[in-house]
Amino acid sequence: GATGGSGGRRKVACFHSLCKMAGAVAVAVHRQRAMEQREARKQFMEDQLRMNRYFTKYDKTNEGTLNKDELRALLKDLNDGVEATDDEFNYVFETADKSRTGDLSFGELKIALCTFKTYQRSKPFIDSVMHKYDEHKTGRLEFGDLKKMLTDIGGAEPSDEAVADVLERFGAKAKAKLTSASGGAETASDAQEDGIPTTQTVHAISYWYTHPKAVQDDEEGLERGASNKNQVETAGKSGSVCGGCCTS
């Protein structure tokens, strides 16, 4: 009987100990959530103040929106006085202009700035890709450039149709040539229009990893593809919209 009583007391003590632990965990979780909520509110208020400052400074027409010229001026100041290229500006503006009004509202400006900052973080990787594959230095990946890059990524040469698919999706034109020699040599203007701009480089590479032709059977090709994929994922990582990515 004494043994049974002792065992029962131990069970009760163990139960109380577990209850204390569970209570401590619950308190810790509650505190963590409260801290995260405070940080989120703080970040939200900082974002609001930052956007207000931007509108006060750059909304020259006082319409409560930023037009293209006003956004260009803002991006230039955020980029150490370097003006965004037409490709970069159009990419940022078209991504942010959800209402398709031609002007950016308060919320759309937050998207624009986050898009621009995310692109800037990817720029070193993009520049290395363009340096290696942009043979004619047009600032865009033409058909031949793109095919070489996809060959290096996958470890085997893709078909012209597969390359054309990527070019159609991410090129500056809505259609792509199957070969640069079809119908004669391309002019410099054609090459400029047909290529994939720097702003779409990471998107095009990421798409290729889900493309059926990107999967190769040889081990060397798979290893090379995995290595390149890690670089793309690192370059393409982005924070939440204005979760600190819109700071100047």
Side-chain angles (χ1 to χ4, degrees):
T3 303
S6 176
R9 285 193 294 274
R10 283 198 297 272
K11 289 181 179 178
V12 171
C14 183
F15 175 75
H16 285 309
S17 177
L18 289 174
C19 286
K20 285 183 179 180
M21 290 176 60
V25 169
V27 170
V29 170
H30 176 75
R31 287 177 177 171
Q32 178 65 27
R33 288 178 178 173
M35 183 177 68
E36 291 174 352
Q37 289 174 351
R38 286 195 299 272
E39 287 298 318
R41 286 195 294 269
K42 179 182 177 182
Q43 184 65 61
F44 176 78
M45 292 304 298
E46 290 177 353
D47 289 341
Q48 296 296 101
L49 290 173
R50 188 178 303 112
M51 294 300 109
N52 283 332
R53 289 198 299 271
Y54 289 153
F55 267 87
T56 299
K57 182 176 181 179
Y58 295 97
D59 181 17
K60 303 300 183 182
T61 58
N62 295 316
E63 294 180 350
T65 59
L66 292 190
N67 60 37
K68 290 185 176 182
D69 289 337
E70 292 164 345
L71 179 63
R72 276 189 183 276
L74 171 55
L75 295 185
K76 181 178 180 180
D77 288 348
L78 293 180
N79 198 29
D80 298 325
V82 179
E83 191 166 334
T85 66
D86 287 343
D87 280 338
E88 291 168 344
F89 179 80
N90 290 335
Y91 169 66
V92 171
F93 193 88
E94 290 170 8
T95 299
D97 186 19
K98 302 298 184 182
S99 61
R100 297 295 181 259
T101 60
D103 297 301
L104 298 187
S105 65
F106 193 92
E108 289 173 333
L109 178 60
K110 294 173 72 174
I111 298 173
L113 296 183
C114 207
T115 300
F116 187 60
K117 288 297 182 181
T118 300
Y119 170 73
Q120 285 184 312
R121 286 198 297 269
S122 304
K123 198 70 165 61
F125 171 77
I126 294 171
D127 288 343
S128 69
V129 170
M130 300 304 291
H131 177 74
K132 183 174 183 179
Y133 296 105
D134 181 13
E135 181 179 357
H136 299 117
K137 306 306 176 186
T138 62
R140 302 190 182 195
L141 295 178
E142 302 168 33
F143 185 91
D145 304 330
L146 181 61
K147 189 167 188 175
K148 289 177 184 177
M149 183 183 75
L150 298 182
T151 298
D152 286 349
I153 290 174
E157 184 176 293
S159 68
D160 284 356
E161 287 78 9
V163 178
D165 174 57
V166 178
L167 197 53
E168 279 190 31
R169 293 172 183 272
F170 302 100
K173 269 188 173 181
K175 69 175 185 176
K177 290 182 175 63
L178 286 181
T179 65
S180 61
S182 62
E186 291 179 311
T187 64
S189 176
D190 288 335
Q192 181 75 4
E193 290 180 346
D194 282 348
I196 292 179
T198 57
T199 52
Q200 295 296 327
T201 303
V202 171
H203 298 298
I205 296 173
S206 298
Y207 167 76
W208 184 247
Y209 288 112
T210 66
H211 194 286
K213 299 295 185 181
V215 181
Q216 305 299 333
D217 294 330
D218 62 290
E219 293 184 4
E220 183 181 351
L222 286 173
E223 290 177 1
R224 187 185 302 115
S227 175
N228 289 334
K229 184 177 181 181
N230 289 335
Q231 294 182 52
V232 174
E233 289 175 344
T234 300
K237 283 180 180 177
S238 61
S240 59
V241 173
C242 281
C245 67
C246 299
T247 55
S248 57

